[in-house]
Amino acid sequence: MFEKIKKLFKKETFPCIVWDGKIMRYLDLTQKQIDEMNNSSKYKNWKVTKKEEC
């Protein structure tokens, strides 16, 4: 039962490649973080790609 409760609060992360035009990073990001980086003007020149999509 504890494991079922624990799964409810676990954030699903995806292995991603983040490219800002100069440096490529390999990060584990949540879908919310990916969406923020793809849609925010703060990250307008950044590209985020899930590793499965490469």
Side-chain angles (χ1 to χ4, degrees):
M1 184 164 156
F2 179 70
E3 289 299 318
K4 289 181 182 180
I5 294 171
K6 189 174 161 182
K7 286 181 183 179
L8 290 174
F9 295 100
K10 183 178 178 184
K11 291 182 182 179
E12 184 177 11
T13 59
F14 304 95
C16 297
I17 299 170
V18 179
W19 174 254
D20 68 359
K22 298 176 186 174
I23 298 171
M24 189 178 291
R25 294 183 178 89
Y26 300 90
L27 304 171
D28 289 327
L29 302 172
T30 64
Q31 186 62 51
K32 183 178 178 182
Q33 290 170 313
I34 294 168
D35 293 341
E36 179 184 326
M37 292 180 88
N38 283 331
N39 298 323
S40 174
S41 61
K42 179 179 174 182
Y43 304 106
K44 69 178 183 174
N45 295 322
W46 291 39
K47 304 282 188 257
V48 179
T49 306
K50 292 181 187 175
K51 282 182 79 175
E52 301 94 37
E53 297 173 359
C54 293

